[in-house]
Structure formats: structure tokens, C-alpha cells
Amino acid sequence: MPPNHPGRRDNYDTVSESGPVPGTLDAMRWLWTPAWIARHVAMVVLVVGFLGLGWWQISRAAAGNTLSWGYAVEWPIFAGFVVYVWWREVRLARRNAAAATGQPADPTEQPADASPATGESRPAVRRPVRVARVPAASEAVEDTDLAAYNHYLSWLNANPGARPGDYPG
Amino acid sequence: MGAALTRYRVIAWIVGVVLILLVVIGMPLKYGFDNPVVVETIGPAHGFLYMIYLVAAFDLSRRADWPLKRMLLVMLAGTVPFVSFYAERRVTGWLARPADRTPEPVAG
């Protein structure tokens, strides 16, 4: 993908349709690496196999095996789960590729949007991000009252069910 | 996370116990003594409980943001007799680490 392509960058969720060359599947080329083809094939094989097993169970159930009605319901659910997992992996890889500006995390994948101004292609509201907060150094606290209060608060945090009257310090 | 982990642990323990009953008692009775009554009663119950186990493991894997491979391994571990207990201990060790809950000062 040329980095300065004047394509429709505002289409974040329809990145597959706003490729570098409109009207082609260039933006989905990263889904056509050998590893991804293997995943697509595995997904299709599993879904077809599971649906076939479900159909087999329907025939068994029709032949009089009551328990097979349950299995006939289970196999399509498994097939749907396979599709769901496949779709989640595709979405995850696309998000990772979009997050890595310029350099994709996986060398087999091309980033979905390699332009440096990826901030424009993002929606204004993003998913919340968990950040590991580094505990502040305790020697930075000069105020002894503040230190005592912090100690009290960390004790409360460490003992969620405790009442303030139980504070030993 | 805590509730999902508890749900997973409970159903993992139940599935593990029922699977051991099936393998240790049911299968010898059926194939050694030609008495399939235990397998016929516990077998479908185990299948149903294992579906609940799959749902609980999937729910936990989504909350804990596991990679796909780990989720599938945990799911498959429930099918192996005795190994399911080990898997449950491993999962609990991953998720219930007390080091993650160290308090931190509010100011300073």
C-alpha cells in the first residue's frame, strides 16, 4: 500500500472496501498469506465437517435415537463457534496491523492502513485500554501525615471487606 | 474476573470428577463385566456438563484476554481424565496471582 494514498481514510470499519486501489481486494491481501489461507481452509473444513456431523445426528435422531436430537443441536453451535473464532482472529489481526504504524507486528501481514496519520482513520471513541500503573516510590512522600494516610488507604485497598475501625496502624 | 474464574473452577471440578467416575467405574463395568448401566447414565450427563465447561472456559478466556491457543488447550484439557484437575490449578495460578493486587499510594 502506498503510504500517501489519498484514499478514503475515514472508513475505519470498512477497511476491506477502501483499499489502495478502489474496486480491488488489495486491502485484504494480508488475508491471503499461506498462514491465513491455512486458517481459512481449516475454518471451512471444520464448519462443513461439523454441519455434516449435525446432519448425520439428525438422521440418527429420525431413526429413533432420542439423544441424537441434542447432538443435532450441538454440532451447528460448534460450527458457529468456529466461524466466530475465525472472525475474531481476523479482526484482531486487522486491529494489530492498524495499530502498528508502518511496521506490522507480524511480518507476514501487511498493515491495513500504513499511512503515518492513522489517527485520522480512527473513530473518536476507542476501546478502553488497560494500563499497568507503576507504584509510586514511597520515599518521594515527604509529608508524614500524607504517608500515614497513604498507608491507611493501601491497607483499605488490600483488605476490601475491612471496616475503617479495623485499621491496625 | 473473579466470578468467572470461580464458575470455571466449579464446573471444571465437577466435570473432572464425573469423567473419572466414567473412566474408573463405568468403562470397566461396561467392557469388563458387560454392565453398561453406569456408562449409559453418567455418559450423557458428562457430555452435558462438558458443554457447560466449554462455555465457562470460553467466558473466562474472553475476560482474561487469552490467546486462541491457550483457550483451546484449556478446553481440551477438560477431556483428559486427571489432567483436568492439573489444568484447573494452572488456570487458577495464572489468574489469581496475589502480586497483581499490590496496593499503590494514591499521592506522592
Side-chain angles (χ1 to χ4, degrees):
Chain A
M1 174 185 291
N4 291 323
H5 176 71
R8 297 167 299 179
R9 287 209 192 108
D10 51 337
N11 286 344
Y12 175 72
D13 276 324
T14 55
V15 65
S16 57
E17 296 165 9
S18 63
V21 182
T24 66
L25 293 174
D26 280 6
M28 295 175 72
R29 195 162 288 276
W30 60 276
L31 280 173
W32 209 242
T33 60
W36 272 106
I37 291 173
R39 283 168 211 169
H40 303 327
V41 168
M43 186 272 286
V44 170
V45 165
L46 283 176
V47 165
V48 171
F50 286 1
L51 290 179
L53 283 166
W55 186 250
W56 173 60
Q57 290 294 341
I58 287 178
S59 66
R60 281 189 68 193
N65 190 349
T66 318
L67 195 58
S68 288
W69 286 118
Y71 300 144
V73 173
E74 270 177 10
W75 282 115
I77 293 177
F78 287 158
F81 181 72
V82 169
V83 172
Y84 169 78
V85 164
W86 169 80
W87 170 242
R88 198 182 67 156
E89 291 296 305
V90 168
R91 215 179 39 182
L92 190 71
R94 191 176 65 174
R95 195 173 292 149
N96 287 345
T101 50
Q103 283 192 337
D106 188 344
T108 62
E109 293 167 1
Q110 294 297 318
D113 188 353
S115 67
T118 44
E120 297 171 19
S121 65
R122 299 288 180 76
V125 180
R126 298 187 198 167
R127 287 163 60 87
V129 179
R130 281 196 207 102
V131 179
R133 288 162 67 190
V134 180
S138 56
E139 58 266 21
V141 181
E142 302 280 338
D143 191 350
T144 52
D145 284 341
L146 184 60
Y149 185 57
N150 276 333
H151 185 262
Y152 169 62
L153 288 179
S154 44
W155 176 84
L156 273 184
N157 192 30
N159 302 278
R163 287 168 302 179
D166 299 332
Y167 180 55
Chain B
M1 176 71 80
L5 179 63
T6 307
R7 285 196 293 272
Y8 165 80
R9 292 185 64 186
V10 168
I11 191 65
W13 189 83
I14 294 173
V15 167
V17 167
V18 173
L19 182 61
I20 284 176
L21 288 180
L22 203 55
V23 170
V24 173
I25 300 174
M27 305 254 289
L29 276 181
K30 178 175 179 179
Y31 296 105
F33 298 92
D34 221 15
N35 182 2
V37 64
V38 176
V39 168
E40 279 172 1
T41 50
I42 294 186
H46 173 261
F48 182 74
L49 290 168
Y50 183 66
M51 293 305 120
I52 301 176
Y53 173 84
L54 287 186
V55 171
F58 175 65
D59 176 49
L60 188 65
S61 81
R62 285 199 64 180
R63 288 168 197 267
D65 248 346
W66 284 347
L68 177 63
K69 206 173 283 182
R70 178 179 288 186
M71 179 181 79
L72 292 180
L73 276 179
V74 169
M75 285 176 166
L76 286 178
T79 63
V80 188
F82 300 102
V83 173
S84 60
F85 296 110
Y86 169 73
E88 189 264 325
R89 293 306 308 167
R90 282 290 298 273
V91 168
T92 308
W94 287 330
L95 296 180
R97 229 174 300 135
D100 292 340
R101 298 178 55 203
T102 44
E104 53 192 284
V106 176

